[in-house]
């Protein structure tokens, strides 16, 4: 399943965020599809795939001390429309 995580941090946590990035290790079971940084600062977007709840937690939990993570399951819109058409 695909997930979009949006991490948001306060300006005073910037240095802590940078340290976390230096130590980032992606757990097995997580496949990163793409990543983006908000050029105005304070936000990071990551699209990743996993079917493993343990990997999901191991990937997100270490960040909970320095930022808020809003992580939602996502699907490409064309795929979603096909799915919805099947159920009409």
């Amino acid at each position: 399943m695909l997930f979009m995580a949006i991490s948001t941090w306060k300006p005073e946590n910037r240095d802590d965020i940078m340290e976390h990035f230096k130590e980032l290790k992606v757990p097995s079971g997580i496949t990163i599809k793409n990543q983006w940084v908000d050029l105005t600062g304070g936000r990071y977007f990551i699209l990743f795939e996993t079917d493993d709840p343990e990997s999901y937690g191991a990937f997100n939990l270490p960040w909970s001390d320095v930022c808020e993570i809003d992580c939602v399951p996502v699907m490409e819109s064309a795929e979603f429309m096909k799915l919805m058409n099947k159920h009409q």
Side-chain angles (χ1 to χ4, degrees):
M1 179 171 250
L2 284 174
F3 292 90
M4 173 63 76
I6 304 169
S7 301
T8 308
W9 58 88
K10 296 178 182 172
E12 60 266 22
N13 289 343
R14 186 197 58 165
D15 292 342
D16 292 333
I17 291 291
M18 296 306 290
E19 287 303 313
H20 271 63
F21 273 116
K22 289 178 188 175
E23 298 174 15
L24 177 63
K25 293 182 179 78
V26 179
S28 64
I30 298 285
T31 302
I32 295 176
K33 298 296 188 177
N34 213 331
Q35 306 169 69
W36 303 269
V37 176
D38 179 347
L39 296 178
T40 63
R43 287 191 303 176
Y44 175 73
F45 305 84
I46 183 167
L47 180 66
F48 67 95
E49 187 170 21
T50 188
D51 290 324
D52 179 19
E54 190 173 328
S55 295
Y56 176 91
F59 191 49
N60 287 303
L61 188 59
W63 294 87
S64 63
D65 62 334
V66 293
C67 66
E68 291 185 24
I69 300 173
D70 186 15
C71 192
V72 296
V74 295
M75 175 183 284
E76 290 185 21
S77 58
E79 188 178 340
F80 177 76
M81 293 307 293
K82 286 180 192 175
L83 182 64
M84 290 299 100
N85 286 333
K86 285 183 184 178
H87 296 285
Q88 287 186 9

